[in-house]
């Protein structure tokens, strides 16, 4: 974009970065007028007065139009528009220095009002950087003289605001030279004089500050006959008194600080509010409480003009005596020798007296307990207190607690990059893995980043690999005197024995987030709630609210968990850990079994005759869980999936499979195929390694089913056949045979599919066998037999009164009725199936029924209803990643585009669908798609290509496949407006 500058000689920079020069002062003056009023209408008469200040020529209107036209030719017609009786130049803030100046000034002044001097300086310096010289220094435009003068005054005010912000950040010496030059140019600006005096005082040059005052007073009297104003006299008096105020005790603000914006804003609001209670900043060891407190203290420097008091209380190591802390604070306030009382209470009283009426921020870092904090509190609300502590300090009355958590993922990577340097950005994957292994904990990230900075040859991926091993993670997170382990050990050593034991046993669960009852199970009755409360108070365990089942939950940070497991194995040994894990697994299996009993089985059971452990939960908890079993599975889903994988890897695949079999009853109807696949693969690998063929075959069959519904038919068939060869009889074999039949039908091998359903029917009466048999018969051109099979299956399902079974039978029957030309009966059956499934969580089944209903609507000429059904089906199928169903809906919707007159768009989409079907190996689906593609090509005027597509469809089509012919006919109706109905054969 073209960029403009008026804060100095008129400057124009083209898109290529080169300066653009305009000829003629009037053309340049016109541009200046429009730029000074950017994005606003400038009346024609104002422009005329500016260009011809004396008497305009008779041809002024024509001349003005010519100048505007020339500017449009140079910058584009859209830049200058005709706005009523005048013109307007449209330009973005970043493309005109005047707009950039004003925007940055406003942001900086607002930040100054909000108590954020660092942000204020950044914006105000950006504003001042826009100035190159006096505005339009190379032009004489009397109409802009007043505006130029006002702008220069505005610039001076912004400079003073910027100095005010920089003084608040402590940049005294750096400002002296700049302020001396400004005072020399503007000797009567008392605010500038006062700022120069304060900068000199802060730089240790008190005598020079007094000299500046004497010179300024003399100038004011000589020039105006007036004494300095009250504000400047107050600065002078303060310097003469040599007051200790303001007291600035804060440690230096740390260079590397990222994120935490919301917490900083919350603390700022609390500490600057009315009657602020003590604010306790608490959190896990290494989370950055002290750094955050110091950052907030620096941010609020100008809000507390009398300064900041800071005391490190060493609560985590060797808590400092309150008496010593009080004496140090009094000395920092200028009280020495006999002025400091001997008695602790008297010292506290003197501190309160000294702070009374002052605006001081008191920061007490690393407090041990409420007793250490109480005597250090000021007596008036004008001086708020910010306390950091590993403990929650629940005994500190009326305190407001703010818990500091770990950084977000993005903040953690930014933090790592700030410590380690630019090479972090070159390996985002390695950086993310390091941050994840550090649990986004600032202390751990700082150690990892420092190691990278000191060892340029250490690759991020190498460090990430080392940190991935939980057993050596704490060893890796050690550098010089910084160690995560030693930091955590300070908190652990301060616990009572029951709390230490509970801390260790919680780690046997090896998860970060767990419900309250699991801690009770792990404790095994040796300790109670007091131990948990102590862990919470010490910030080693965090309350995580109440879950959707009404159960309290707790969280433990990754590195805290790693430390707890380290202590568990060091102090208890693997046997105690194994017993604790076993107790917890038995409890989880018992709960999962209870809550899954009324959910439909998606796979054959893996249990055999094994009994289920007794429920260890209290009656109240069981009542809450059984009131909404689905809610429990939803809450625990992620933990259970992760846990099943971990259990499989450590040889506990048997109990993991039993838990998974219950969890799958929740996952499968919702289309959570990714979770099912992860569990099945982990269990299969573990079973193979252990020589457990029964579990290996079961897991392989489950994996095959996932591949099946996702459209990977060939791979699914291979796995089903592998399982078939290893199963003797029973429900598991029937289930495998039925699924294999479905796959083979999709691949165009209905004869074998029908034979497989015969075998499956001898082993099982499941309604899925009937549905698979019906599908095979339809592909063999025997729809009348399919109707009989589906009718019998529907009757049996209605007797069971199970909505999913009834809906499945209705869906299968509806399609068989379509193939016999009974579209009205088919529509009624499909609509009933959809209505039943909307009341369940069976999303995959709902998508299937919606697809069938959409095809029926298309056959009946109900175009809008058909496309609505296909669109809803596609949305569900995309969410659960069922590729075959997504493809079939894309194909149907593309057919609708042909009817909408968008044939070219439809051709592109149908070709993409055809390629996918070919890769999938589904000849029947490819045949249907080719027929729709031919119709689209005809509509697009591509008759030769349409003929080729039809010829290929005829060549690959199975003449027995009533299914493909009927579906193609139904969908072809969508290519016309309105479409004909499908007649009975």
């Amino acid at each position: 974009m073209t960029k403009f500058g008026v804060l100095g000689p008129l400057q124009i920079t083209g898109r290529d970065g080169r300066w653009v020069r305009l000829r003629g002062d009037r053309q340049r003056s016109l541009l200046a007028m429009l730029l000074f009023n950017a994005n606003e209408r400038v009346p024609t008469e104002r422009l005329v007065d500016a260009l011809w200040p004396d008497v305009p020529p008779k041809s002024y209107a024509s001349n003005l139009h010519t100048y505007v036209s020339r500017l449009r030719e140079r910058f584009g017609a859209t830049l200058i528009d005709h706005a009523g009786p005048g013109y307007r130049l449209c330009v973005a803030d970043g493309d005109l220095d005047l707009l950039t100046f004003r925007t940055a000034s406003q942001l900086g002044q607002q930040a100054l009002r909000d108590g954020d001097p660092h942000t204020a300086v950044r914006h105000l310096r950006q504003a001042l950087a826009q100035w190159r010289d006096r505005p339009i220094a190379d032009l004489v435009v009397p109409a802009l003289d007043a505006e130029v003068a006002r702008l220069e005054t505005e610039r001076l005010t912004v400079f003073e605001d910027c100095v005010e912000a920089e003084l608040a950040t402590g940049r005294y010496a750096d400002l002296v030279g700049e302020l001396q030059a400004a005072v020399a140019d503007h000797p009567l600006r008392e605010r500038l004089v006062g700022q120069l005096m304060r900068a000199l005082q802060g730089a240790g040059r008190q005598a020079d500050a007094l000299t500046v005052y004497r010179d300024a007073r003399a100038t004011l009297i000589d020039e105006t006959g007036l004494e300095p104003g009250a504000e400047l006299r107050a600065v002078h008096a303060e310097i003469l008194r040599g007051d200790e105020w303001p007291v600035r005790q804060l440690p230096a603000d740390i260079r590397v600080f990222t994120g935490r914006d919301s917490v900083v804003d919350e603390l700022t609001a609390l500490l600057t509010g009315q009657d602020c209670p003590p604010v306790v900043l608490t959190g896990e060891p290494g989370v950055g409480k002290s750094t955050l407190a110091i950052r907030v203290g620096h941010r609020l420097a100008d809000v507390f003009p009398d300064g900041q008091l800071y005391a490190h209380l060493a609560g985590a190591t060797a808590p400092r005596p309150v008496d010593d802390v009080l004496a140090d604070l009094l000395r920092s306030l200028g009280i020495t020798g006999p002025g400091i009382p001997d008695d602790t209470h008297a010292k506290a009283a003197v501190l309160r007296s000294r702070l009374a009426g002052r605006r001081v921020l008191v920061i007490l870092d690393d407090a041990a307990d409420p007793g250490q904090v109480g005597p250090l509190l000021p007596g008036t609300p004008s001086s708020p207190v910010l306390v950091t502590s590993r403990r929650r300090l629940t005994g500190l009355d009326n305190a407001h607690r703010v818990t500091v958590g770990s950084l977000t993922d993005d903040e953690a990577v930014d933090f790592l990059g700030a410590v380690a340097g630019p090479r972090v950005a070159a390996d985002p994957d390695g950086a993310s893995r390091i941050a994840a292994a550090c649990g986004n904990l600032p202390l751990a990230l700082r150690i990892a980043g420092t190691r990278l900075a000191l060892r340029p040859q250490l690759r991020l991926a190498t460090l990430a690999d080392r940190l991935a091993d939980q057993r050596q993670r704490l060893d890796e997170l050690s550098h010089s005197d910084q160690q995560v382990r030693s930091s955590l050990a300070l908190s652990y050593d301060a616990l009572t024995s029951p709390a230490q034991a509970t801390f260790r046993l919680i780690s046997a669960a090896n998860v970060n987030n767990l419900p309250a009852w699991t801690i009770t199970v792990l404790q095994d009755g040796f300790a109670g709630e007091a131990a948990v409360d102590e862990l919470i108070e010490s910030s080693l365990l965090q309350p995580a609210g109440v879950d959707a089942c009404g159960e309290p939950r707790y969280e433990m940070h990754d590195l805290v968990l790693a430390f707890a497991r380290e202590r568990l194995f060091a102090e208890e040994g693997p046997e105690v850990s194994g017993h604790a894990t076993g107790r917890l697994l038995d409890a989880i299996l018992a709960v999962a079994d209870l809550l899954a009993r009324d959910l439909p089985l998606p796979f054959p059971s893996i249990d055999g005759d094994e009994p289920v452990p007794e429920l260890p939960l209290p009656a109240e908890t069981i009542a809450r869980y059984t009131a909404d079993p689905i809610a429990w599975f939803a809450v625990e889903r992620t933990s259970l999936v992760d846990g099943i994988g971990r259990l499989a890897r450590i040889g506990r695949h048997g109990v993991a499979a039993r838990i998974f079999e219950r969890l799958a009853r929740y996952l499968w109807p919702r289309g959570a195929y990714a979770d099912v696949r992860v569990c099945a693969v982990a269990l299969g690998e573990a079973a193979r390694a252990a020589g457990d063929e029964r579990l290996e075959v079961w897991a392989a069959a489950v994996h095959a089913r996932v591949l099946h519904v996702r459209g990977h038919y060939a791979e699914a068939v291979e796995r089903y056949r592998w399982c078939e060869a290893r199963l003797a009889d029973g429900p598991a074999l029937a289930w495998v045979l039925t699924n294999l039949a479905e796959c083979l039908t999709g691949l165009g091998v209905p004869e074998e599919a029908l034979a497989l359903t015969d075998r499956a029917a001898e082993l099982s009466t499941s309604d899925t066998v009937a549905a698979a048999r019906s599908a095979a018969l339809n592909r063999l051109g025997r729809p009348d037999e399919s109707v009989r099979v589906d009718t019998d299956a529907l009757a049996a399902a209605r007797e069971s009164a199970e909505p999913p079974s009834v809906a499945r039978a209705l869906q299968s029957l509806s399609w068989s009725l379509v193939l016999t030309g009974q579209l009205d009966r088919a529509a009624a059956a499909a609509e009933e199936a959809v209505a039943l499934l909307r009341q369940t969580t069976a999303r995959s089944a709902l998508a299937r029924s919606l697809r069938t209903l959409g095809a029926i609507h298309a056959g009946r000429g109900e175009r809008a209803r058909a496309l609505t059904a296909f669109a809803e089906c596609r949305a569900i199928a995309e969410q659960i990643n069922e590729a075959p169903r997504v493809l079939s809906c894309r194909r149907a919707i593309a057919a609708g585009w042909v009817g909408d007159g968008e044939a070219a768009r439809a051709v592109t989409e149908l070709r993409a669908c055809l390629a996918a079907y070919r890769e999938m190996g589904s000849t029947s689906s490819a045949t249907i798609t080719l027929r729709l593609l031919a119709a689209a090509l005809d509509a697009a005027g591509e008759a030769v290509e349409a003929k080729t597509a039809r010829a290929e469809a005829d060549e690959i089509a199975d003449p027995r496949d009533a299914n493909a012919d009927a579906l193609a006919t139904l969908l072809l109706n969508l290519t016309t407006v309105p479409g004909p109905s499908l007649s009975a054969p």
Side-chain angles (χ1 to χ4, degrees), residues 656-942:
R658 299 183 74 192
I659 294 171
F660 169 59
E661 188 263 305
R662 274 80 179 174
L663 174 63
R665 304 184 199 186
Y666 164 81
L667 296 175
W668 191 262
R670 287 159 184 77
Y673 303 132
D675 285 349
V676 174
R677 184 192 64 79
V678 166
C679 292
V681 170
L683 290 170
E685 291 175 350
R688 187 180 312 113
D692 186 345
E693 185 177 81
R694 174 173 171 270
L695 177 54
E696 183 185 2
V697 172
W698 183 83
V702 172
H703 188 191
R705 183 64 178 151
V706 174
L707 293 168
H708 180 169
V709 298
R710 286 184 163 178
H712 304 294
Y713 293 148
E715 189 177 353
V717 165
E718 183 180 348
R719 289 178 182 269
Y720 282 139
R721 292 197 191 280
W722 184 88
C723 295
E724 177 194 4
R726 286 159 179 77
L727 290 168
D729 54 26
L733 178 58
W735 183 74
V736 167
L737 293 173
T738 302
N739 291 329
L740 177 55
E742 285 186 7
C743 258
L744 291 172
T745 298
L747 288 171
V749 192
E751 298 92 346
E752 184 182 355
L754 186 61
L756 289 170
T757 62
D758 288 338
R759 289 176 58 195
E762 295 174 359
L763 301 169
S764 171
T765 59
S766 170
D767 59 332
T768 58
V769 178
R773 184 173 184 80
S774 173
L777 288 167
N778 285 333
R779 290 293 175 90
L780 289 168
R782 295 155 63 180
D784 291 327
E785 293 179 57
S786 296
V787 170
R788 288 194 293 273
V789 170
D790 291 327
T791 301
D792 291 343
L794 178 58
R798 290 198 188 281
E799 286 184 13
S800 73
E802 294 180 356
S805 296
V806 175
R808 188 159 42 240
L810 282 166
Q811 188 275 327
S812 185
L813 174 61
S814 67
W815 188 244
S816 297
L817 290 170
V818 167
L819 301 186
T820 58
Q822 302 177 69
L823 289 187
D824 291 341
R825 284 186 62 198
E831 286 169 350
E832 184 182 354
V834 168
L836 283 171
L837 290 167
R838 288 196 190 282
Q839 302 170 32
T840 72
T841 57
R843 293 166 59 74
S844 178
L846 175 59
R848 179 189 292 265
S849 293
L850 282 166
R851 183 184 61 177
T852 301
L853 183 58
I856 294 169
H857 283 318
R860 301 173 77 193
E862 297 164 344
R863 174 187 179 76
R865 298 179 69 186
L867 293 173
T868 299
F870 282 125
E872 184 181 359
C873 173
R874 175 179 177 173
I876 296 172
E878 285 177 335
Q879 291 170 358
I880 60 179
N881 197 15
E882 286 193 356
R885 211 151 288 151
V886 173
L887 272 176
S888 62
C889 291
R890 285 174 56 191
R891 180 177 63 190
I893 292 169
W897 293 342
V898 179
D900 293 337
E902 297 183 74
R905 181 185 180 194
V907 166
T908 301
E909 179 74 339
L910 289 169
R911 281 178 170 155
C913 292
L914 179 61
Y917 279 129
R918 284 172 171 160
E919 183 178 355
M920 193 181 294
S922 178
T923 304
S924 176
S925 297
T927 301
I928 298 166
T929 309
L930 281 165
R931 299 201 188 285
L932 293 176
L933 177 60
L937 289 166
D938 273 335
E942 303 286 347

Side-chain angles (χ1 to χ4, degrees), residues 503-525:
F503 176 70
R504 294 192 299 268
L505 286 171
I506 287 174
S507 73
N510 205 17
V511 294
N512 302 101
N513 184 294
L514 67 173
W517 65 263
T518 60
I519 298 178
T520 304
V521 169
L522 289 165
Q523 286 178 320
D524 199 24

Side-chain angles (χ1 to χ4, degrees), residues 198-220:
R198 286 161 55 201
L200 288 166
Q201 182 194 26
R205 299 167 59 182
Q206 183 174 335
D208 290 341
L210 295 174
T211 299
V212 168
Y213 179 78
R214 286 194 297 270
D215 293 345
R217 179 175 179 270
T219 300
L220 283 166

Side-chain angles (χ1 to χ4, degrees), residues 10 38 159 181-182 192 263 460 468 476 500 534 560 569-570 633 681 723 738 758 878 921 979:
L10 183 65
F159 174 73
L192 277 177
V263 182
L460 270 71
E476 293 292 335
Q500 286 183 342
E534 188 177 346
V560 178
F569 284 98
F633 281 111
V681 170
C723 295
T738 302
D758 288 338
E878 285 177 335

Side-chain angles (χ1 to χ4, degrees), residues 1-73:
M1 293 295 293
T2 303
K3 294 183 179 293
F4 301 93
V6 296
L7 300 180
L10 183 65
Q11 182 174 298
I12 309 158
T13 307
R15 300 187 182 200
D16 57 0
R18 297 181 179 180
W19 285 6
V20 177
R21 300 189 182 279
L22 295 179
R23 295 180 180 177
D25 284 347
R26 285 198 173 90
Q27 189 174 354
R28 299 171 70 232
S29 297
L30 170 62
L31 179 59
M33 284 292 295
L34 294 172
L35 289 171
F36 267 81
N37 298 276
N39 301 315
E40 297 179 1
R41 181 181 68 86
V42 185
T44 301
E45 57 269 21
R46 281 191 61 197
L47 295 175
V48 172
D49 290 343
L51 299 185
W52 296 281
D54 298 324
V55 178
K58 293 181 180 180
S59 60
Y60 71 84
S62 174
N63 292 350
L64 177 61
H65 180 73
T66 298
Y67 296 146
V68 170
S69 298
R70 288 174 181 171
L71 290 177
R72 284 175 167 169
E73 287 174 4

Side-chain angles (χ1 to χ4, degrees), residues 390 477 481-491 493 563:
R390 296 185 177 204
L477 292 174
D481 61 341
Q482 290 186 324
Q483 293 187 5
V484 173
R485 180 185 286 111
S486 59
S487 178
L488 293 169
L490 291 172
S491 295
D493 292 342
F563 177 77

Side-chain angles (χ1 to χ4, degrees), residues 327-358:
D328 285 349
L329 291 175
L330 292 178
R331 279 191 287 270
S332 70
L333 295 176
I335 302 172
T336 60
I340 300 178
D342 294 331
D343 180 70
T344 299
H345 295 292
K347 286 187 179 77
V350 173
L351 177 67
R352 291 193 294 272
S353 175
R354 187 66 170 157
L355 293 178
R358 292 285 186 180

